[in-house]
Each structure stands twice: as C-alpha cells, then as structure tokens.
Amino acid sequence: MIDKAVTDKDEANRLKSEIQSQLIESQDSLLKAQMQIILAEAQGESWLQRNWRPLFMIVIVAVIANNYLLAPYLGAIFGVGLQLDLPERLWDLMTIGVGGYVTGRTVEKGISSWHQGKAQPGLYSEADTK
C-alpha cells in the first residue's frame, strides 16, 4: 500500500521501516508484559500459583492421550475404552499453550536479532532466554 501511495522510493522504504519497527516494538512490549505475569506466577508463594499452568496442560494432554491412544487400544483388545469429552475450548487452550510457546520463541529470536542490529536495549537484553 505504501508503494502505491508514496512515489518516492526512499520515502516509501523509510515509512515501511518505521512501521515495521513500531510493530516489533509493540510485540516486544506485549511479550514483556506476558513475561512479567508468568514470572510473577512462577515466583509466587503458593505452590498452586506457581504450577497451575503446567498442571492444566498435563491434564489436557492426559485426556488427549487417553482418547487417541489408550481408549482405542483398550476398546480393540477388551471391547471397553472410556473416552473423555474434551470441549473445543480446552483443545483451543492446549493449542494456544503449545503454539504460543513455539510462536513466542520464534518472535523472541526475531526481535532479539533485530535489537542486536539496532543496538537498542529492551526485553531481550533484560531477560536470560537461554
């Protein structure tokens, strides 16, 4: 759209670069806020506060393993296999939980590389991500 609206190529490239920079900084701020929430939970005094996310994911994975691994084999061997309903919303949460981690790491590495090129301190210079 910028190429269509701006005829000067240098100005168009400058605008594109500025928009991309603002998008990356916005994602950086969002990831920083999410990181602070997770760190606050992880450093909480309550065992449940520190571990509810991993426990929730384990329960969802257990239901999926039952429905797609255990129950079909028990059904084939013994004629009995209990399948548990996994509401679509829980499936979505699991997908977001796993996909969010993968996407978060990808974005994190991209922003980190971008920050190294721009030499600006930010979220990734404050947190050890290794």
Side-chain angles (χ1 to χ4, degrees):
M1 290 179 59
I2 291 174
D3 289 333
K4 292 178 182 178
V6 179
T7 56
D8 181 14
K9 290 192 183 237
D10 290 334
E11 180 66 14
N13 288 334
R14 186 190 68 75
L15 287 172
K16 287 182 208 176
S17 176
E18 188 174 322
I19 290 171
Q20 184 177 18
S21 173
Q22 289 176 357
L23 286 172
I24 290 172
E25 287 176 16
S26 174
Q27 288 179 342
D28 185 34
S29 297
L30 177 62
L31 286 173
K32 187 174 184 177
Q34 291 172 339
M35 180 185 74
Q36 289 172 342
I37 290 169
I38 292 170
L39 284 175
E41 287 178 353
Q43 295 169 352
E45 294 180 25
S46 165
W47 179 88
L48 187 59
Q49 179 185 8
R50 290 189 308 269
N51 294 298
W52 77 268
R53 288 176 193 262
L55 288 172
F56 186 65
M57 292 299 287
I58 288 170
V59 168
I60 293 173
V61 168
V63 170
I64 292 169
N66 175 70
N67 289 354
Y68 295 101
L69 298 174
L70 188 59
Y73 285 110
L74 289 175
I77 295 171
F78 301 110
V80 178
L82 173 65
Q83 287 195 325
L84 305 170
D85 287 335
L86 185 64
E88 189 174 333
R89 305 267 324 210
L90 288 181
W91 184 266
D92 293 342
L93 281 174
M94 195 237 10
T95 304
I96 290 169
V98 173
Y101 175 76
V102 172
T103 302
R105 289 293 293 159
T106 302
V107 170
E108 177 182 339
K109 288 178 182 181
I111 291 174
S112 180
S113 297
W114 180 78
H115 275 297
Q116 288 173 359
K118 297 279 274 189
Q120 294 178 351
L123 166 65
Y124 304 102
S125 63
E126 296 171 11
D128 183 9
T129 58
K130 293 180 184 174

